[in-house]
Amino acid sequence: MASDAFSSDQIVDALGSMPTGTPVSEVARRLLDLFTSGQIEPGTRLPSERQLASSLAVGRSAVREALAALEMLGIVDVRPGSGTFLRGQASELLPQTLRWGLLIGERNTAELLELRSGLEIYVARLAATRATNDEKAALRGHVDSMRAAGDDLAAFAKADLAFHLDLADAAGNRTLHDLLHVVRSLLQVYADRAVHTVEEAETAVREHEAVAGALEAADPDGAASAMAVHMITASERLRSLTEGAPVEA
């Protein structure tokens, strides 16, 4: 560890107390500021929840929720029985979060859905001109797996996610990939159950097939249009699930 890097005790000292009633979003921001300051080496074991809560003068539940959010965004690695560890360098962490205030507790699901749609459409456009033959074959394979899933909606969801992850890789833009990862993570509580009927799955298969076909034809306009159609129906499904549901569910 570098001589000027913080030890566990120094991390606690550097945090400082927060006002009574501070929301989880502010706790997470305070932790993020320190974790991305460059003063903590990757792999460092962070102070315990109890130590962090004591230093920040907040409840352990607030620290636990903040760390869970930071883990979801790829900032820390929580290992049951071992502790919590910083995952990467500040320069690697910042592009993943972009300091969006983490969108914790105050995030607007409708805005996230709009953002995801725009990003997915642009990803499809880029991938249509950059995807290799192997990447196109992998995407086609995911569509085939989605179709073969039948009424096994869990298997369908797995193939669906794999399609979108590989599509983002095929776009060849790491920052765009990281942005989508953050948005998907924030929406994941709903996305996991977005398709809940065989009929919806069949519609989604046709929409993914249209995207895959446009990629195989190296047609960026067609890929963007096909993804736009898919995003309309996918966003509607997600929106219907979030209506009346607490955003922090």
Side-chain angles (χ1 to χ4, degrees):
M1 180 179 294
S3 59
D4 58 348
F6 280 177
S7 65
S8 182
D9 288 341
Q10 288 173 314
I11 292 172
V12 169
D13 293 339
L15 286 170
S17 63
M18 303 187 77
T20 301
T22 298
V24 173
S25 58
E26 291 300 324
V27 174
R29 283 197 190 93
R30 177 69 66 83
L31 294 175
L32 178 65
D33 285 340
L34 181 59
F35 294 168
T36 60
S37 67
Q39 295 175 293
I40 306 175
E41 288 287 304
T44 295
R45 187 178 187 276
L46 302 174
S48 67
E49 286 180 5
R50 179 185 58 77
Q51 291 173 305
L52 292 174
S54 177
S55 177
L56 293 166
V58 299
R60 288 183 63 177
S61 62
V63 170
R64 187 176 303 114
E65 289 180 43
L67 289 175
L70 294 177
E71 181 181 32
M72 179 176 67
L73 296 177
I75 306 299
V76 301
D77 181 17
V78 179
R79 305 173 192 169
S82 298
T84 302
F85 299 80
L86 185 67
R87 292 190 62 177
Q89 297 279 8
S91 60
E92 298 170 344
L93 301 178
L94 286 173
Q96 294 185 49
T97 62
L98 297 186
R99 297 296 316 281
W100 289 357
L102 296 179
L103 303 177
I104 299 168
E106 62 206 40
R107 65 183 184 264
N108 184 300
T109 305
E111 291 182 358
L112 284 173
L113 289 172
E114 288 180 357
L115 179 59
R116 183 204 173 194
S117 294
L119 294 175
E120 292 278 14
I121 291 167
Y122 189 45
V123 157
R125 179 177 293 279
L126 290 180
T129 61
R130 298 178 178 178
T132 65
N133 289 334
D134 286 345
E135 288 171 330
K136 292 175 184 178
L139 290 166
R140 175 61 65 178
H142 295 319
V143 174
D144 292 342
S145 296
M146 288 161 56
R147 183 182 296 104
D151 59 0
D152 185 346
L153 298 182
F156 171 88
K158 182 178 180 180
D160 186 353
L161 176 60
F163 180 95
H164 286 278
L165 292 176
D166 281 357
L167 184 66
D169 285 338
N173 184 314
R174 191 66 207 177
T175 300
L176 188 57
H177 178 283
D178 289 342
L179 273 171
L180 263 173
H181 172 72
V182 172
V183 175
R184 284 199 198 96
S185 295
L186 291 167
L187 289 169
Q188 198 62 46
V189 66
Y190 304 118
D192 281 343
R193 50 196 173 94
V195 172
H196 54 271
T197 69
V198 173
E199 290 73 20
E200 288 178 348
E202 290 172 348
T203 296
V205 168
R206 291 193 295 271
E207 292 169 352
H208 285 81
E209 187 161 43
V211 175
L215 260 68
E216 290 164 350
D219 178 4
D221 289 339
S225 296
M227 182 59 78
V229 169
H230 174 52
M231 283 294 103
I232 289 172
T233 56
S235 294
E236 279 302 315
R237 286 194 297 269
L238 283 169
R239 194 172 289 113
S240 68
L241 286 171
T242 63
E243 289 177 355
V247 174
E248 295 182 51

